[in-house]
Amino acid sequence: MTAPPKPARVVVLISGSGTNLQAIIDAREAGDLPVEICAVISNKDKVQGLERAQKHQIPAIVVDHRQFSSREDFDARLQYIIDAQRPDIVALAGFMRILTPAFTRHYEGKMINIHPSLLPKYQGLGTHKRALQAGDREHGATVHFVTAELDGGPCILQARVAIDTADTEQTLAAKVLRQEHRIYPLAIKWLAQNRLRMRAGISFLDGEPLPTGGQQYQ
Ligand code: GRF
């Protein structure tokens, strides 16, 4: 008899409240996500995401970026700590640091991020405000592979929300976040099941190239 396949090892990087981390933990605990969350790493001390990890007996590690004199030194230390976990997947979940090209190259094809916009629209910060100011009728969230270009790697999965005339930055952020919690665990599951790959700057799901915005979540 052959042993069942080992669950993919996931390291989650956070900087804050960690609601996406919570969605990943919940999906795993519900039996919907065949992964082992081996560590949660934050560049900030005392954030809620660390408490969430501890509550679920997941090792929670702080690597405070302020202790390093350069981005390169911080990333090198971060890489050392991540690699000690032998991860198959590195999931950025509200990790608010710009990463060096050497770091992103090291995890190419196995590091993903969730971004609160319909990429390639609105890379960077302030996405909800920008969507409202532009008078957009819809907005959303995207999971994408991480490359050296900030929020610029190939898209994997995207969920859309309608913008109502009454929406404020806060109501829109909450709507988008609800969708984030649906799509992030699903994208991680695809990666864990080896259904997802990045080749030549394109995402492939089950061997088929995905469109620019990634698979659309229904
Ligand atoms: C989310 O909006 C995510 O898209 C962005 O940062 C936020 C993190 O929220 N990258 P949380 O820490 O998961 O609650």
mmCIF file of all heavy atoms in Angstrom, residues 119-137:
data_model
loop_
_atom_site.group_PDB
_atom_site.id
_atom_site.type_symbol
_atom_site.label_atom_id
_atom_site.label_comp_id
_atom_site.label_asym_id
_atom_site.label_seq_id
_atom_site.Cartn_x
_atom_site.Cartn_y
_atom_site.Cartn_z
ATOM 1 N N LEU A 119 -7.153 43.253 -10.508
ATOM 2 C CA LEU A 119 -5.894 43.436 -11.231
ATOM 3 C C LEU A 119 -6.095 43.060 -12.699
ATOM 4 O O LEU A 119 -6.903 42.201 -12.994
ATOM 5 C CB LEU A 119 -4.795 42.552 -10.598
ATOM 6 C CG LEU A 119 -4.299 43.010 -9.219
ATOM 7 C CD1 LEU A 119 -3.341 41.972 -8.616
ATOM 8 C CD2 LEU A 119 -3.622 44.380 -9.291
ATOM 9 N N PRO A 120 -5.418 43.712 -13.632
ATOM 10 C CA PRO A 120 -4.299 44.639 -13.433
ATOM 11 C C PRO A 120 -4.691 46.060 -13.029
ATOM 12 O O PRO A 120 -3.828 46.917 -12.934
ATOM 13 C CB PRO A 120 -3.613 44.632 -14.805
ATOM 14 C CG PRO A 120 -4.697 44.293 -15.769
ATOM 15 C CD PRO A 120 -5.624 43.376 -15.046
ATOM 16 N N LYS A 121 -5.975 46.311 -12.759
ATOM 17 C CA LYS A 121 -6.385 47.643 -12.300
ATOM 18 C C LYS A 121 -5.931 47.879 -10.864
ATOM 19 O O LYS A 121 -6.041 46.970 -10.036
ATOM 20 C CB LYS A 121 -7.909 47.729 -12.334
ATOM 21 C CG LYS A 121 -8.442 48.696 -13.358
ATOM 22 C CD LYS A 121 -9.942 48.802 -13.271
ATOM 23 C CE LYS A 121 -10.387 50.062 -14.000
ATOM 24 N NZ LYS A 121 -11.812 50.236 -13.960
ATOM 25 N N TYR A 122 -5.493 49.055 -10.565
ATOM 26 C CA TYR A 122 -5.195 49.500 -9.189
ATOM 27 C C TYR A 122 -4.188 48.632 -8.435
ATOM 28 O O TYR A 122 -4.505 48.010 -7.417
ATOM 29 C CB TYR A 122 -6.489 49.625 -8.371
ATOM 30 C CG TYR A 122 -7.560 50.443 -9.040
ATOM 31 C CD1 TYR A 122 -8.869 49.986 -9.101
ATOM 32 C CD2 TYR A 122 -7.248 51.666 -9.632
ATOM 33 C CE1 TYR A 122 -9.854 50.728 -9.731
ATOM 34 C CE2 TYR A 122 -8.228 52.410 -10.269
ATOM 35 C CZ TYR A 122 -9.518 51.934 -10.320
ATOM 36 O OH TYR A 122 -10.479 52.672 -10.954
ATOM 37 N N GLN A 123 -2.984 48.588 -8.959
ATOM 38 C CA GLN A 123 -1.898 47.991 -8.179
ATOM 39 C C GLN A 123 -1.572 48.965 -7.050
ATOM 40 O O GLN A 123 -1.887 50.150 -7.142
ATOM 41 C CB GLN A 123 -0.666 47.794 -9.076
ATOM 42 C CG GLN A 123 -0.939 46.798 -10.198
ATOM 43 C CD GLN A 123 0.124 46.804 -11.279
ATOM 44 O OE1 GLN A 123 0.761 47.821 -11.519
ATOM 45 N NE2 GLN A 123 0.295 45.681 -11.932
ATOM 46 N N GLY A 124 -0.957 48.497 -5.995
ATOM 47 C CA GLY A 124 -0.551 49.388 -4.906
ATOM 48 C C GLY A 124 -1.655 49.628 -3.898
ATOM 49 O O GLY A 124 -2.600 48.849 -3.793
ATOM 50 N N LEU A 125 -1.555 50.760 -3.205
ATOM 51 C CA LEU A 125 -2.443 51.034 -2.061
ATOM 52 C C LEU A 125 -3.689 51.840 -2.473
ATOM 53 O O LEU A 125 -3.771 52.335 -3.589
ATOM 54 C CB LEU A 125 -1.672 51.808 -0.991
ATOM 55 C CG LEU A 125 -0.476 51.071 -0.379
ATOM 56 C CD1 LEU A 125 0.310 52.005 0.542
ATOM 57 C CD2 LEU A 125 -0.914 49.828 0.378
ATOM 58 N N GLY A 126 -4.634 51.979 -1.511
ATOM 59 C CA GLY A 126 -5.782 52.862 -1.701
ATOM 60 C C GLY A 126 -6.725 52.408 -2.796
ATOM 61 O O GLY A 126 -7.368 53.236 -3.458
ATOM 62 N N THR A 127 -6.871 51.107 -2.967
ATOM 63 C CA THR A 127 -7.622 50.603 -4.129
ATOM 64 C C THR A 127 -9.116 50.945 -4.063
ATOM 65 O O THR A 127 -9.716 51.257 -5.092
ATOM 66 C CB THR A 127 -7.464 49.072 -4.234
ATOM 67 O OG1 THR A 127 -7.926 48.483 -3.019
ATOM 68 C CG2 THR A 127 -6.020 48.689 -4.463
ATOM 69 N N HIS A 128 -9.693 50.874 -2.854
ATOM 70 C CA HIS A 128 -11.150 51.118 -2.753
ATOM 71 C C HIS A 128 -11.467 52.578 -3.084
ATOM 72 O O HIS A 128 -12.391 52.880 -3.814
ATOM 73 C CB HIS A 128 -11.645 50.757 -1.354
ATOM 74 C CG HIS A 128 -11.214 49.385 -0.912
ATOM 75 N ND1 HIS A 128 -11.451 48.261 -1.673
ATOM 76 C CD2 HIS A 128 -10.518 48.954 0.183
ATOM 77 C CE1 HIS A 128 -10.944 47.203 -1.062
ATOM 78 N NE2 HIS A 128 -10.362 47.598 0.055
ATOM 79 N N LYS A 129 -10.655 53.452 -2.539
ATOM 80 C CA LYS A 129 -10.821 54.879 -2.798
ATOM 81 C C LYS A 129 -10.661 55.188 -4.292
ATOM 82 O O LYS A 129 -11.452 55.934 -4.882
ATOM 83 C CB LYS A 129 -9.750 55.642 -1.997
ATOM 84 C CG LYS A 129 -9.933 57.111 -1.965
ATOM 85 C CD LYS A 129 -8.898 57.718 -1.063
ATOM 86 C CE LYS A 129 -9.156 59.190 -0.891
ATOM 87 N NZ LYS A 129 -8.249 59.775 0.084
ATOM 88 N N ARG A 130 -9.667 54.572 -4.883
ATOM 89 C CA ARG A 130 -9.410 54.838 -6.300
ATOM 90 C C ARG A 130 -10.573 54.341 -7.174
ATOM 91 O O ARG A 130 -10.961 54.999 -8.145
ATOM 92 C CB ARG A 130 -8.085 54.209 -6.717
ATOM 93 C CG ARG A 130 -6.887 55.008 -6.190
ATOM 94 C CD ARG A 130 -5.659 54.136 -5.983
ATOM 95 N NE ARG A 130 -5.021 53.743 -7.214
ATOM 96 C CZ ARG A 130 -4.118 52.748 -7.301
ATOM 97 N NH1 ARG A 130 -3.775 52.069 -6.225
ATOM 98 N NH2 ARG A 130 -3.553 52.449 -8.442
ATOM 99 N N ALA A 131 -11.123 53.178 -6.818
ATOM 100 C CA ALA A 131 -12.250 52.638 -7.594
ATOM 101 C C ALA A 131 -13.463 53.556 -7.464
ATOM 102 O O ALA A 131 -14.164 53.826 -8.450
ATOM 103 C CB ALA A 131 -12.589 51.231 -7.114
ATOM 104 N N LEU A 132 -13.693 54.077 -6.255
ATOM 105 C CA LEU A 132 -14.835 54.982 -6.040
ATOM 106 C C LEU A 132 -14.629 56.290 -6.793
ATOM 107 O O LEU A 132 -15.535 56.785 -7.472
ATOM 108 C CB LEU A 132 -15.012 55.261 -4.543
ATOM 109 C CG LEU A 132 -15.616 54.130 -3.704
ATOM 110 C CD1 LEU A 132 -15.528 54.451 -2.220
ATOM 111 C CD2 LEU A 132 -17.067 53.863 -4.105
ATOM 112 N N GLN A 133 -13.416 56.826 -6.674
ATOM 113 C CA GLN A 133 -13.132 58.110 -7.335
ATOM 114 C C GLN A 133 -13.243 58.016 -8.851
ATOM 115 O O GLN A 133 -13.619 58.976 -9.511
ATOM 116 C CB GLN A 133 -11.741 58.606 -6.937
ATOM 117 C CG GLN A 133 -11.759 59.298 -5.581
ATOM 118 C CD GLN A 133 -10.371 59.677 -5.093
ATOM 119 O OE1 GLN A 133 -9.356 59.263 -5.664
ATOM 120 N NE2 GLN A 133 -10.317 60.470 -4.034
ATOM 121 N N ALA A 134 -12.912 56.838 -9.372
ATOM 122 C CA ALA A 134 -12.974 56.664 -10.834
ATOM 123 C C ALA A 134 -14.415 56.461 -11.314
ATOM 124 O O ALA A 134 -14.673 56.408 -12.508
ATOM 125 C CB ALA A 134 -12.117 55.476 -11.234
ATOM 126 N N GLY A 135 -15.356 56.293 -10.354
ATOM 127 C CA GLY A 135 -16.752 56.057 -10.729
ATOM 128 C C GLY A 135 -16.971 54.651 -11.269
ATOM 129 O O GLY A 135 -17.914 54.409 -12.029
ATOM 130 N N ASP A 136 -16.105 53.698 -10.872
ATOM 131 C CA ASP A 136 -16.254 52.321 -11.361
ATOM 132 C C ASP A 136 -17.573 51.728 -10.888
ATOM 133 O O ASP A 136 -18.060 52.059 -9.806
ATOM 134 C CB ASP A 136 -15.109 51.432 -10.833
ATOM 135 C CG ASP A 136 -13.770 51.793 -11.471
ATOM 136 O OD1 ASP A 136 -13.752 52.632 -12.396
ATOM 137 O OD2 ASP A 136 -12.753 51.223 -11.027
ATOM 138 N N ARG A 137 -18.127 50.841 -11.692
ATOM 139 C CA ARG A 137 -19.377 50.161 -11.320
ATOM 140 C C ARG A 137 -19.099 48.851 -10.598
ATOM 141 O O ARG A 137 -19.973 48.264 -9.978
ATOM 142 C CB ARG A 137 -20.217 49.870 -12.570
ATOM 143 C CG ARG A 137 -20.508 51.109 -13.411
ATOM 144 C CD ARG A 137 -21.490 52.013 -12.731
ATOM 145 N NE ARG A 137 -22.751 51.337 -12.485
ATOM 146 C CZ ARG A 137 -23.726 51.233 -13.383
ATOM 147 N NH1 ARG A 137 -23.593 51.768 -14.568
ATOM 148 N NH2 ARG A 137 -24.851 50.605 -13.077
#
